[in-house]
Amino acid sequence: MVRWFFHSTIVFLLFVGYYAESQRKAPFVPTWTVDEQRYVLRSADGYEVSLGPSLLDSTSVVSRHKTAYQRELDELLKRQEENDYYLSVHRVHEEGYNVVMKQQENVKQLIAKHRLLLSMLDTLDASSSTVALLRLTTSRRISAPSVFLVTNGGNWQYGHYTKRMKEGRGVMLRNEESPLLGRWEGDTLISGTFTTSTSHYHGQLSSVGAPQGHGQLMTGERTDYEGHFSGGLQDGFGVSFSGEQLRAGEWRYGRFLGERMEYTSERIYGIDISKYQHGKGRRYYPIHWNKLRITYLGRTGNKGVKGTANYPVSFIYIKSTEGTTIRNKYYLADYRQARRYGFRCGAYHFFSTKTSGEKQATFFLKQTRFAKGDLPPVLDVEPSDRQIIAMGGIDVLWREVLAWMHKVEKSTHTIPVLYISQNFVNKYLRQRPDIKRKYHVWIARYGEYKPDVRLAYWQLCSDGRVEGIQGDVDINVFNGYGDQFEEFMQKESIQ
């Protein structure tokens, strides 16, 4: 009897926790009826739930539940990590921040619950032949609030068929679909809840019962998407929590487009330069280091500017080398001037598919200056598909890229940054999660939307304008704000 009471109490508490969460407006008040050996839960709006014991084989039950809960816990931990990263590089005023923060609080509660569950299951005596579980039955009191049943041309309420205007809560029966519990105002369906074979929807609805407006798609206790719907599909701003990746931004017809960044003076902007910023041919243009200000974010980037673009340059990357023979003849002079005027600067190497990564790293290290506080070195990888094939395929490319990264890291005691395009990310980076985990990424994506990947920098245009520099300039933005940039420099800069 003691063991049965202990086991049943565990399951009972878990059930109460879950059910009370899903029925916040109608909390259950539990009572214990000893003579009948069953729990009775009564809610304020008229529901009764009875729970009685049943006996099942403990070994299979415990093992099965431990496996399931551990799998769910692993998924929750990944989601927590994604949420933490999103919150660390966004501010409260940004669209999506509050949604992610709310979901993060829910995820933390679920993690604690799953850890408690696993701990409880570990304490169960696996050698026991039986374990007490609970059998759930539900009933509805007569005093419960009445709802109407929507039918073609009218609705049923209080046992009578009527064609009067639908108002309040009702149930809509849909052909070959699950019933919809909704709320009507002025004979129009406003919001409601329904369940499909894979998910649960709660939110605003169109007159025919399709998601329209703000809503949530859920699987179990976890929200997979929260945001705007149109015609039953994600459309507008929304936050997706499905899979291992958090996606916050604009959706269109159920497809994720990306996060549209708002450019303000709070952002951390930078530029990258090479010999081309000094002119072409015999014409030479100096850089006026004391005048550097970003005044134009390119044709696509400028759409998101709040007010007039006039931003300070917070960091500068300068091309140093390419392959094993090409040097930027302006590198050393530009590096010295940038440091003299107080700019945080670093160097990058343009990767060649024709020579080994180790030899290229040796050339880069020999030609480049590294001082304490400098930005981490960067490897610029921009091969065409034809060049990748010519060098032996993507595995050979990764081998040589990693050879460069390892040698430079060993020499500078700093983990380099990998510069790649969005197209390269889509085709090749997703196949190498180990590289994504270890290295910061600098993405070149010229468009309205932020790259759909964790990154350090985003090169948002190649046709920007900077006062003090002649011609077009690559404009970059750090993925975060001032405090995150300072933290990044403390951890990742040359020591």
Side-chain angles (χ1 to χ4, degrees):
M1 178 65 184
V2 173
R3 174 178 293 172
W4 177 88
F5 183 78
F6 170 70
H7 293 161
S8 58
T9 301
I10 290 174
V11 182
F12 168 70
L13 292 175
L14 295 176
F15 172 81
V16 172
Y18 170 76
Y19 207 96
E21 181 67 19
S22 62
Q23 301 286 334
R24 292 184 180 180
K25 295 183 179 180
F28 281 88
V29 181
T31 59
W32 171 243
T33 307
V34 179
D35 55 338
E36 298 180 22
Q37 293 188 344
R38 66 187 182 95
Y39 287 105
V40 178
L41 306 178
R42 294 187 177 90
S43 68
D45 68 346
Y47 280 104
E48 265 193 13
V49 179
S50 300
L51 301 101
S54 63
L55 299 178
L56 295 174
D57 177 68
S58 66
T59 303
S60 61
V61 170
V62 172
S63 176
R64 185 171 67 251
H65 282 77
K66 284 181 69 173
T67 300
Y69 287 133
Q70 185 61 57
R71 182 172 60 251
E72 291 178 5
L73 177 61
D74 292 341
E75 293 175 358
L76 288 167
L77 290 171
K78 290 175 183 176
R79 181 170 292 191
Q80 182 184 41
E81 182 183 0
E82 283 291 307
N83 290 346
D84 281 336
Y85 174 76
Y86 180 91
L87 295 171
S88 72
V89 296
H90 290 78
R91 287 289 186 267
V92 176
H93 68 271
E94 293 182 82
E95 193 172 16
Y97 186 94
N98 289 333
V99 174
V100 178
M101 176 62 80
K102 182 179 69 174
Q103 290 302 322
Q104 183 70 324
E105 293 173 357
N106 182 50
V107 166
K108 288 180 178 179
Q109 292 174 1
L110 289 174
I111 287 174
K113 172 183 173 181
H114 278 68
R115 283 175 171 162
L116 177 61
L117 275 165
L118 289 169
S119 176
M120 288 178 170
L121 290 171
D122 284 337
T123 64
L124 293 177
D125 184 7
S127 64
S128 173
S129 60
T130 59
V131 59
L133 298 178
L134 296 173
R135 183 176 60 253
L136 174 65
T137 59
T138 60
S139 61
R140 184 70 166 168
R141 278 181 170 178
I142 297 176
S143 60
S146 178
V147 297
F148 52 83
L149 182 64
V150 178
T151 62
N152 292 331
N155 56 84
W156 287 89
Q157 191 170 20
Y158 300 111
H160 300 285
Y161 182 76
T162 176
K163 291 191 176 183
R164 68 181 182 181
M165 183 179 294
K166 294 182 282 295
E167 192 77 28
R169 287 193 299 174
V171 177
M172 176 187 288
L173 300 181
R174 305 178 298 170
N175 294 333
E176 300 181 359
E177 295 183 55
S178 62
L180 182 153
L181 177 62
R183 178 172 291 279
W184 277 257
E185 291 182 6
D187 211 35
T188 301
L189 179 62
I190 300 298
S191 62
T193 298
F194 63 85
T195 301
T196 68
S197 59
T198 58
S199 61
H200 175 81
Y201 176 82
H202 175 74
Q204 295 176 313
L205 296 167
S206 68
S207 59
V208 296
Q212 183 80 20
H214 188 84
Q216 289 180 314
L217 269 178
M218 302 183 69
T219 300
E221 299 174 74
R222 295 169 299 176
T223 301
D224 288 335
Y225 174 88
E226 180 172 355
H228 194 270
F229 289 82
S230 180
L233 297 173
Q234 297 98 321
D235 197 84
F237 186 87
V239 180
S240 168
F241 302 91
S242 58
E244 296 182 9
Q245 188 173 14
L246 182 149
R247 290 178 168 181
E250 291 192 24
W251 298 70
R252 188 171 298 160
Y253 307 123
R255 186 172 69 89
F256 182 66
L257 299 180
E259 179 182 356
R260 193 190 300 271
M261 184 176 286
E262 186 177 279
Y263 304 105
T264 67
S265 57
E266 291 183 273
R267 296 279 182 192
I268 306 300
Y269 302 95
I271 60 175
D272 59 273
I273 60 175
S274 64
K275 67 177 184 178
Y276 298 109
Q277 275 63 51
H278 290 284
K280 293 182 180 180
R282 296 183 179 180
R283 188 69 181 268
Y284 172 78
Y285 297 101
I287 293 177
H288 302 285
W289 297 94
N290 61 332
K291 296 181 178 180
L292 298 190
R293 299 281 296 185
I294 296 170
T295 58
Y296 181 64
L297 297 183
R299 182 175 56 85
T300 55
N302 230 49
K303 295 179 182 178
V305 173
K306 278 285 187 178
T308 303
N310 185 15
Y311 309 128
V313 175
S314 298
F315 62 91
I316 301 173
Y317 269 101
I318 309 168
K319 181 178 179 179
S320 175
T321 53
E322 179 177 340
T324 57
T325 59
I326 301 174
R327 295 187 304 113
N328 172 16
K329 63 181 180 180
Y330 300 110
Y331 163 72
L332 188 57
D334 286 347
Y335 173 75
R336 288 171 174 167
Q337 286 293 90
R339 285 185 60 86
R340 177 187 173 192
Y341 280 88
F343 292 103
R344 284 168 160 161
C345 56
Y348 73 89
H349 172 83
F350 191 92
F351 184 81
S352 170
T353 59
K354 296 182 179 180
T355 53
S356 74
E358 186 172 0
K359 288 181 179 179
Q360 292 185 61
T362 300
F363 182 60
F364 171 73
L365 292 167
K366 182 179 180 180
Q367 302 296 330
T368 308
R369 299 292 181 268
F370 303 98
K372 184 177 181 179
D374 281 355
L375 297 163
V378 171
L379 180 60
D380 182 346
V381 181
E382 302 184 53
S384 66
D385 291 338
R386 181 174 296 180
Q387 288 174 321
I388 294 175
I389 293 172
M391 74 178 299
I394 188 61
D395 291 337
V396 176
L397 173 67
W398 280 127
R399 185 188 69 201
E400 298 305 326
V401 164
L402 290 175
W404 190 98
M405 304 288 269
H406 292 157
K407 188 174 182 66
V408 172
E409 179 182 353
K410 185 177 180 180
S411 178
T412 63
H413 307 289
T414 304
I415 299 177
V417 173
L418 184 63
Y419 173 98
I420 48 181
S421 68
Q422 182 69 56
N423 185 55
F424 189 91
V425 170
N426 298 338
K427 282 188 174 182
Y428 305 117
L429 187 61
R430 299 188 193 281
Q431 302 167 13
R432 293 301 300 268
D434 56 324
I435 293 175
K436 287 177 65 177
R437 282 194 298 268
K438 178 172 181 179
Y439 296 106
H440 289 290
V441 176
W442 182 358
I443 298 286
R445 183 182 185 183
Y446 306 147
E448 300 177 57
Y449 299 105
K450 191 174 175 181
D452 184 22
V453 65
R454 289 194 184 193
L455 71 162
Y457 314 110
W458 172 25
Q459 187 179 92
L460 57 96
C461 75
S462 59
D463 58 343
R465 289 288 189 275
V466 177
E467 185 179 352
I469 298 179
Q470 178 71 24
D472 292 344
V473 182
D474 294 340
I475 307 297
N476 305 278
V477 60
F478 175 76
N479 191 28
Y481 290 87
D483 48 353
Q484 287 89 17
F485 184 64
E486 292 303 322
E487 183 179 350
F488 176 81
M489 292 300 297
Q490 291 177 10
K491 293 181 178 180
E492 308 298 337
S493 65
I494 302 291
Q495 302 302 315

